[in-house]
Amino acid sequence: MPSAPVGVADGRPADAREARRQERRSRLTQAALAMFAARGYHETSVDDIVARARMSKSAFYEQFDSKEHCFREVLAQEGGELIHAVIAAAAGGEDHRD
């Protein structure tokens, strides 16, 4: 039976490492969404986001270049879901304002 690809840096399977990276990124974006919704972009700091996610600042900066980079990703994720929901509702004959 073939084994999973092994990462060069630490010997763990590459897919397990990628899954952990994605889980950390998701925790950070969910925390950021909650903080941006509650306090707004300007009043939310990276410290607020990492405290909510219960992660370190270094973990944040491993995933994002800046707070703005994180904010743009949150907008892309959440905005994309909203757009798809509106299109699906309109295709079903529902009023897009609902």
Side-chain angles (χ1 to χ4, degrees), residues 1 4 11-12 15 22 24 43 46-47 49 69 73 80:
M1 180 159 96
R12 287 190 293 242
D15 55 342
Q22 288 295 331
R24 286 190 302 267
E43 295 300 318
V46 171
D47 286 331
I49 295 167
H69 179 216
E73 182 160 322

Side-chain angles (χ1 to χ4, degrees), residues 16-94:
R17 232 182 25 257
E18 178 61 20
R20 281 191 21 254
R21 188 188 75 76
Q22 288 295 331
E23 188 275 330
R24 286 190 302 267
R25 192 173 189 90
S26 177
R27 279 179 51 196
L28 287 164
T29 56
Q30 290 304 308
L33 174 61
M35 295 307 300
F36 293 142
R39 300 184 67 199
Y41 176 81
H42 293 292
E43 295 300 318
T44 298
S45 68
V46 171
D47 286 331
D48 296 327
I49 295 167
V50 298
R52 174 86 181 217
R54 296 182 179 188
M55 297 177 77
S56 68
K57 266 180 127 169
S58 63
F60 179 90
Y61 287 110
E62 287 173 6
Q63 301 294 324
F64 304 104
D65 295 332
S66 64
K67 179 177 83 167
E68 181 180 353
H69 179 216
C70 178
F71 183 69
R72 288 177 182 269
E73 182 160 322
V74 168
L75 284 179
Q77 288 175 359
E78 296 303 314
E81 289 179 20
L82 178 61
I83 289 167
H84 290 299
V86 169
I87 290 170
E94 297 175 40

